[in-house]
Amino acid sequence: MREPQAKAIHLKDYAPPAFKVETVELDIDIRADDAIVKAKLQIKRYAAGPLVLDGDELELQSVTLNGRLLGKKDFSLEAEKLTIAGVPDAFELETVTRIVPQKNTKLEGLYATKNGFVTQCEAQGFRRITWYIDRPDVMAKFTTTVRARYPVLLSNGNLVASGPGWAKFHDPFPKPCYLFALVAANLEVLREKNLYVYVEPGKLDQAGWAMDCLKRAIAWDEKRFGLKLDLDEYRIVAVGDFNSGAMENKGLNIFNTKYVLACAETATDVDYLNIDRVVAHEYFHNWTGNRVTCRDWFQLSLKEGLTVFRDQEYGADTYSRAVTRIQEVRSLRAAQFPEDAGPMAHPVRPQSYMEIRNFYTMTVYEKGAEVVRMQHALLGEEKFQAGMRLYFKRHDGQAVTCDDFVQAMQDASGVDLSQFRRWYDVAGTPVLDVSSSFEKNLFTLRVKQSMNPPFHIPFAVKIGGEEKVLSLKKSAEEFVFRAKEKPVPSLLRGFSAPVILNYPYTEDELLHLMAKDDDAFNRWEAAQRLATTTILEKDGVPSPAFLAAAKNVLGGPDPAFAAEVLSLPAETFLAEQMAVVDPDRLHANRNSLRRALASCLKEQLRNCYERLKSKGPYSPDAESSGKRSLKNLCLSYLGEIGMSALVHEQFKGADNMTDAMAALTTLANLDCPERQPALEAFYAKWKDEPLVVDKWLAVQASSRLPGTLSRVNALLGHAAFDLKIPNKVYALIRTFCANHVRFHAADGTGYDFLAAQVLALDKLNPQVAARMARGFDRWKKFDAQRKARARAALERVRDAEGLSRDVAEIVGKALA
């Protein structure tokens, strides 16, 4: 076994920086084959010791201290460290460095894209541009000169001077270097007053939605949180090669094109919604992340969890609060709960890491948002907003901790949150075992929680006519409610805490909640519980009562909500309910339930489908997208019972991408004569639109049909695929690894495929490779044959020469 490539970094070892940078003057000259970076830093000492600067793949050309050129004996140079001993307490340091962004396939630091050059510096990309104290608690004012032969030259802050081939920017706000941004590219721009959206040439007609989203987000943040735009100009730049979704660099957000470009012909309703939420998320970071940033990377959820909560609330206020909440919980339970139970389990505030890029996780983001939401539930909107105001008053312009946020909430509200802080520092999903009794008009609720010592859990309930948020603080507690007759308790309303709730509901009680609960989340939850039991315990054969309830849902007043209720639980979520996962049986039982629903409700499904057909031009508004959601769910059910001709008819006649993709996705899962011609026609029509081609790759990788892996392997060599472009990797490889039944094939071919792709990717882009390696997280939940094949694949990756720290950490934890 190889030695680990990196030592773990621990939160307990945090110490303030020995030096801080007050100002930065950068001069970045992008040339034909490389770039020269001149950096002038004004530095002050705060503790004893030598100056240590971080670097990665940098070619140092010179170092000057207070105007004196240093010789090689005056400093120590290693691959990732530049150390200068004996520096004064305050000094000016100049370095000249050569980098080669044209060959930077990691897409971190400064790198080449299709139309020019951009940067990505979070978490530790700035050290790939120049030597620096690369940590978030070092905040400086930046002045940047960009030199390049491109029409668009940008950096953070305000343009202060420019000329042919160069532009100079000054950012008046001190910032950590992870928020530095630079763009030198051939782009087109959509401008409205002081707001700018830059896109690739020829895509300007797809930029309008992102601009609309940005304006809505600015108005919402001022209205709901009292936070105003603090910049003279605000820019969004969309590029096709980007490891993540977007980046909140102060005043110059850089986005993956996937989260900017949209028009009815190329983007689905989900795309429109995702763009709205991501644009809002990055804008909200301007205050929760930029004006107040994190002291160290262990505090990542300080900005990410809080900002996810804010973009969730934006989504709830802009669209349907009920549907938004359901979608959030569906995602949380399908992805974050397994993470909490797997080898990469970690607290919202991790206690240690080997590679910080591996901790941009569902736990930090989505569970982190739930932790903020619970504080909102315990305090209420008014006191929560008072806590936010105090947080900004105390910490504007600072790099702080999760504790600082909680303390502001506690001090502003008078609510004791000392026990609540355990949510930040303890991994795992709490389990609530709840029982009840009814006697003499008294309903007693008994709650036991699994966490020891116990967490502070907001537990929203409605029993009889009484609704309240219970504060669970003990390992076991009882609560008594008065009721004239035995009530059906509505528990964990709105999913008030990210917990697993065990309560012995009968089918009749779940049907009652599904039909009559005044909490929309719990109506949906009751349906999910009924479906889960049917799949896992009844071989997918539904009871007549469940079928009748489903029929009633179809006729309900809210199509978007009905679509969520009639969407079955994901196989990844269902797998977590099994002691030993049998993916073939699970898949077969889930499909049996789908077919049973389709057969029983055929007439209602067809009528609903016809009723909801759009009669006007496409609009991404909530009401219209809700109707399309239910209509296309009906279509997918009808496809289960031999109506592929109807599906193909929609595919051929679709005037928007939502309807076209819904039909294509259904056909891709059916062994029918229309399938292959539809796939070929779709590619022929859209082969010049990269984001649409990504959908084509994904729809094939997600197919439940036998032979999917063979098709995916063939697509690796297709002109539509490029291993160097993250969007392509996510569309094809990650989508296949999320194809539960095909990835977890008993012969281990899915595992072998992923191991080969991880090793190939690791040589190009370790961050993306590590994300793909997470597909192995839950291998220990399967049978002995699958476990043996998964272990062999993981060991093959682990033993590869030159494995990156990113992948080594993921694979090492999976095998531990």
Side-chain angles (χ1 to χ4, degrees), residues 3-301:
E3 292 296 317
Q5 291 184 301
K7 294 181 179 179
I9 300 169
H10 295 271
L11 173 59
K12 63 181 176 61
D13 296 331
Y14 171 83
F19 295 86
K20 290 190 177 180
V21 182
E22 298 207 322
T23 63
V24 180
E25 291 182 45
L26 290 176
D27 188 303
I28 301 178
D29 185 6
I30 302 173
R31 309 187 301 188
D33 299 315
D34 60 9
I36 299 298
V37 181
K38 299 176 182 177
K40 182 185 294 184
L41 313 179
Q42 302 296 331
I43 301 176
K44 280 191 175 181
R45 178 191 295 278
Y46 287 83
L51 173 69
V52 181
L53 303 178
D54 302 298
D56 182 14
E57 296 185 4
L58 303 179
E59 183 183 317
L60 180 65
Q61 296 195 329
S62 67
V63 185
T64 303
L65 177 66
N66 284 339
R68 181 175 70 89
L69 183 66
L70 300 186
K72 291 185 178 180
K73 295 181 180 180
D74 297 320
F75 57 86
S76 171
L77 181 63
E78 303 170 61
E80 297 184 354
K81 298 290 180 186
L82 170 61
T83 304
I84 308 173
V87 296
D89 291 344
F91 56 96
E92 179 180 275
L93 184 76
E94 293 185 67
T95 60
V96 179
T97 305
R98 177 179 176 268
I99 58 176
V100 188
Q102 294 85 350
K103 296 182 180 180
N104 180 2
T105 63
K106 293 181 180 180
L107 310 189
E108 292 180 284
L110 177 66
Y111 64 91
T113 69
K114 177 182 176 183
N115 296 291
F117 294 83
V118 299
T119 57
Q120 169 55 25
C121 294
E122 188 178 359
Q124 295 175 337
F126 191 74
R127 65 186 61 185
R128 295 177 57 78
I129 298 174
T130 189
W131 299 96
Y132 198 75
I133 308 173
D134 190 356
R135 47 189 286 172
D137 55 356
V138 174
M139 301 175 70
K141 291 184 178 181
F142 280 66
T143 301
T144 305
T145 301
V146 188
R147 304 180 192 276
R149 295 183 177 275
Y150 288 94
V152 173
L153 303 176
L154 302 171
S155 191
N156 312 79
N158 301 311
L159 178 67
V160 293
S162 64
W166 67 275
K168 185 175 184 179
F169 298 84
H170 175 68
D171 187 351
F173 293 94
K175 65 175 180 283
C177 64
Y178 83 83
L179 291 173
F180 172 78
L182 177 152
V183 175
N186 178 25
L187 301 169
E188 295 179 350
V189 63
L190 174 63
R191 177 182 180 181
E192 292 195 21
K193 297 182 180 179
N194 62 335
L195 308 178
Y196 302 76
V197 178
Y198 294 84
V199 296
E200 298 170 352
K203 302 296 184 186
L204 205 57
D205 62 330
Q206 299 183 39
W209 176 251
M211 177 65 80
D212 291 345
C213 297
L214 179 58
K215 290 187 292 186
R216 275 197 303 274
I218 292 170
W220 180 88
D221 209 19
E222 184 170 352
K223 180 179 178 181
R224 178 79 186 268
F225 281 86
L227 299 174
K228 297 181 179 181
L229 176 61
D230 60 353
L231 300 163
D232 294 337
E233 296 180 325
Y234 192 94
R235 294 181 171 89
I236 287 173
V237 176
V239 296
D241 305 343
F242 203 72
N243 282 339
S244 300
M247 178 60 206
E248 71 267 19
N249 316 298
K250 183 73 176 178
L252 181 55
N253 295 176
I254 298 178
F255 274 64
N256 190 320
T257 52
K258 180 179 175 67
Y259 297 105
V260 170
L261 301 180
C263 66
E265 292 76 22
T266 61
T268 65
D269 291 337
V270 172
D271 293 328
Y272 273 95
L273 177 63
N274 287 342
I275 290 168
D276 202 358
R277 291 284 292 273
V278 174
V279 168
H281 180 95
E282 304 309 330
Y283 173 73
F284 299 153
H285 264 314
N286 188 51
W287 283 88
T288 52
N290 296 0
R291 289 284 289 259
V292 183
T293 195
C294 41
R295 185 194 72 180
D296 53 75
W297 291 120
F298 298 100
Q299 318 294 332
L300 180 58
S301 197

Side-chain angles (χ1 to χ4, degrees), residues 375-388:
Q375 292 174 73
H376 185 274
L378 291 168
L379 273 59
E381 172 72 5
E382 185 177 340
K383 290 182 178 179
F384 182 85
Q385 292 291 356
M388 290 292 293

